[in-house]
Amino acid sequence: LYEDGIYKDSTTNVITDTYTYEDTTGGDESSYVIMNSLTSSEYILCGFIERQQGFHCKLIPSHTNSTASTVITVSYWNGTEWVSVGTVNDGTSSDSKSFAKSGYITWNPVAENTEFKKEINKEDPLYYYKLSWSQNFSGDVLLHFLAGIPVPMPIGKYSFPLYAQGRTFLFSDQTNRKNYCMVSSVGTLNSFTGVGSGDGLTFGDDTAIVAAGEIYVNLNTGATSNILVAKVGSMYLLSGTSPDTWMITQIDDSIGCSAPYTLKASPIGLEYAPLQSQQVTIWQSANAIMMYDAASVYPISDSIANYFDQTKSESINLSKVANSYGFWDNTNGNYEYHWLFASGSSTTLDKELVFDLRRQKWFEIDRGSGNRLQCGVDVADTSGAHYSYGGTDSGYLQRLENGTAFTGDGGSITYEFELGDLPISGTLNMESIIRYIRLVMVSKGTTSSTVTVTHYGDMNQTGKTITLSPSKSGYDSTMPARSIPGSIWGSHVFHRLKFTISTDDETIGFEPLWVSGLYEVSRLRLKD
């Protein structure tokens, strides 16, 4: 307040939206600003760390200005002198009396390159605004609260958003700093100004941020959330929940995310000890599928490492690495991460590998040409039920885990599992013959299809087959067995078995439980 030729610092008087006033004693004068008989040559200066386009002013009721024809002028500092902001919408005016009531005072923001900070009374430079009036105030005006309305910050061309911690995070400004993140105020989607949004966040060097995800963490003091931020060659963790508590930690300087659409947080926690679990995030790096469990980054793709080995024909197509896609499917209580990628020389995503979070095992889904997924999404209806949908390479959006056949062309679903090449006699020098095989599985009451058991001897690429029926009416499981004459599969050191069945009339066509059998040692073999 500039009054009586001196500056009077009234910041603490108006910083909170409360006051204490009593007509007889005046109450607590430190909870409001006394502007009695303020003259037209006196004024208020309001300073902010950001440029403003308005104020919210609150006056104590019945202690407002009553001087007729009082008009407010708001001025900014242009580096040399005070200049009017132009037309002002004075929400405190009533009957042509400014400051006659509480309200908002707003104007169109002035050009950024014309407005500068100023030092007042030897304090830190701020963006100051001068509020002056055309007439002297009446004798009893008390202002108890004043807040600014910041000018919206310009939003550049950011790569992607993340809604987390009740805020919107905009990552990687492609026109300026690709390692920068702009954050909205808490509880808002698009308000990026004010102290609640902070000054933005910068992650490491100037390389671009490509992906980010929110991960919840259980602490002794309660639950909170962190944000995992990925570049192509490094990973960062943003902890804290506000500009005052945010802290950026680089958790890896060599492993990053090579496929932005694969970085996804799990819908449930990974159980690492009985009754203890932790939410995890999974993504594709340059040479593995990685997992972060709020403690460390580690690979989970050792069992499918052939897809990252460029000496293998089925390995990932390096020219399409960034196109890979990942999504979680929690349909029917299954919590599975689907990794879609282009293998070999394919230019579309032709492989679908699935990580079962509960079992921590991988399996493959082959939906056939025209049904190969290119992306996946979670859809919720108005009742809160969730469904998984996938976009196919033929341009259709289809509901997953629904029906008895692959949707679209109605093709049968082929189920398959295969054992390794096993020296079942326990030594590499002994040949054996499988004489008897039994497959225990959940029984099926509809399909007429049978399970084909293919035997491959001594790593032969051509196998010999028998069939087993999965049908057994009135039973939960069935245990079909088959005796096998030695002339069918023959005598071998190594035995590999593959079990397959195709159905289009069962909700789940194949549910094997275990395999057993008998073998006979046939002869000693010391050379081929």
Side-chain angles (χ1 to χ4, degrees), residues 183-506:
V183 190
S184 72
S185 295
V186 67
T188 71
L189 293 174
N190 54 6
S191 176
F192 294 91
T193 56
V195 294
S197 61
D199 296 327
L201 302 162
T202 302
F203 295 86
D205 59 22
D206 58 1
T207 55
I209 300 168
V210 298
E214 184 177 28
I215 183 170
Y216 292 92
V217 182
N218 290 321
L219 304 173
N220 293 333
T221 56
T224 185
S225 73
N226 296 332
I227 296 175
L228 187 66
V229 179
K231 295 185 175 185
V232 171
S234 57
M235 303 294 298
Y236 298 83
L237 190 69
L238 175 64
S239 57
T241 57
S242 69
D244 294 333
T245 60
W246 278 329
M247 182 173 65
I248 298 173
T249 304
Q250 185 171 359
I251 59 176
D252 204 294
D253 62 355
S254 60
I255 294 174
C257 177
S258 59
Y261 295 119
T262 63
L263 192 146
K264 300 292 169 60
S266 63
I268 63 168
L270 171 67
E271 187 175 45
Y272 57 89
L275 301 180
Q276 298 185 58
S277 62
Q278 186 69 57
Q279 188 183 29
V280 298
T281 301
I282 296 177
W283 70 94
Q284 174 193 307
S285 71
N287 53 14
I289 301 297
M290 310 303 296
M291 176 184 286
Y292 176 72
D293 62 359
S296 61
V297 176
Y298 54 92
I300 59 170
S301 56
D302 289 349
S303 62
I304 57 169
N306 55 303
Y307 291 107
F308 291 96
D309 183 352
Q310 290 301 306
T311 65
K312 307 293 185 182
S313 61
E314 69 272 19
S315 64
I316 189 169
N317 185 343
L318 294 181
S319 66
K320 297 295 179 180
V321 163
N323 293 12
S324 299
Y325 199 96
F327 69 95
W328 285 95
D329 177 11
N330 59 352
T331 305
N332 303 326
N334 298 319
Y335 294 92
E336 300 165 344
Y337 176 82
H338 291 241
W339 175 41
L340 314 175
F341 66 100
S343 68
S345 59
S346 176
T347 57
T348 61
L349 309 185
D350 65 330
K351 284 286 185 179
E352 181 178 356
L353 297 183
V354 184
F355 183 72
D356 187 323
L357 184 64
R358 285 175 169 159
R359 297 176 178 85
Q360 297 185 52
K361 299 290 185 181
W362 288 92
F363 63 90
E364 182 180 355
I365 295 179
D366 184 358
R367 303 176 189 271
S369 179
N371 287 320
R372 293 192 174 99
L373 300 187
Q374 307 301 296
C375 64
V377 294
D378 179 73
V379 177
D381 64 19
T382 55
S383 300
H386 286 254
Y387 308 92
S388 291
Y389 278 76
T392 70
D393 55 351
S394 57
Y396 289 94
L397 185 66
Q398 299 179 349
R399 181 176 164 186
L400 308 180
E401 306 292 343
N402 180 53
T404 60
F406 281 128
T407 54
D409 60 5
S412 297
I413 298 175
T414 298
Y415 302 82
E416 173 184 304
F417 79 92
E418 186 173 357
L419 305 177
D421 292 285
L422 304 175
I424 59 178
S425 62
T427 173
L428 299 182
N429 297 324
M430 197 69 68
E431 287 189 3
S432 59
I433 300 172
I434 296 177
R435 291 294 189 182
Y436 185 88
I437 191 78
R438 166 172 282 167
L439 174 62
V440 183
M441 54 187 153
V442 176
S443 63
K444 302 300 172 183
T446 302
T447 188
S448 59
S449 300
T450 57
V451 177
T452 298
V453 184
T454 305
H455 175 272
Y456 300 90
D458 290 335
M459 305 181 195
N460 195 331
Q461 295 182 3
T462 302
K464 299 177 181 180
T465 65
I466 63 171
T467 59
L468 299 172
S469 173
S471 301
K472 192 171 185 180
S473 178
Y475 287 81
D476 292 332
S477 64
T478 182
M479 298 181 288
R482 174 84 180 265
S483 62
I484 305 170
S487 61
I488 294 182
W489 285 355
S491 177
H492 305 280
V493 174
F494 293 98
H495 300 265
R496 176 160 47 96
L497 297 174
K498 180 169 69 174
F499 302 79
T500 61
I501 184 174
S502 293
T503 69
D504 60 4
D505 51 6
E506 294 281 355

Side-chain angles (χ1 to χ4, degrees), residues 37-76:
S37 303
L38 192 73
T39 69
S40 58
S41 61
E42 296 170 333
Y43 47 85
I44 292 176
L45 292 177
C46 310
F48 300 87
I49 61 174
E50 298 176 303
R51 298 190 308 122
Q52 306 294 302
Q53 62 179 3
F55 305 117
H56 187 193
C57 303
K58 290 190 176 182
L59 300 158
I60 296 178
S62 301
H63 296 273
T64 59
N65 177 45
S66 60
T67 304
S69 302
T70 304
V71 178
I72 191 173
T73 297
V74 179
S75 304
Y76 68 95

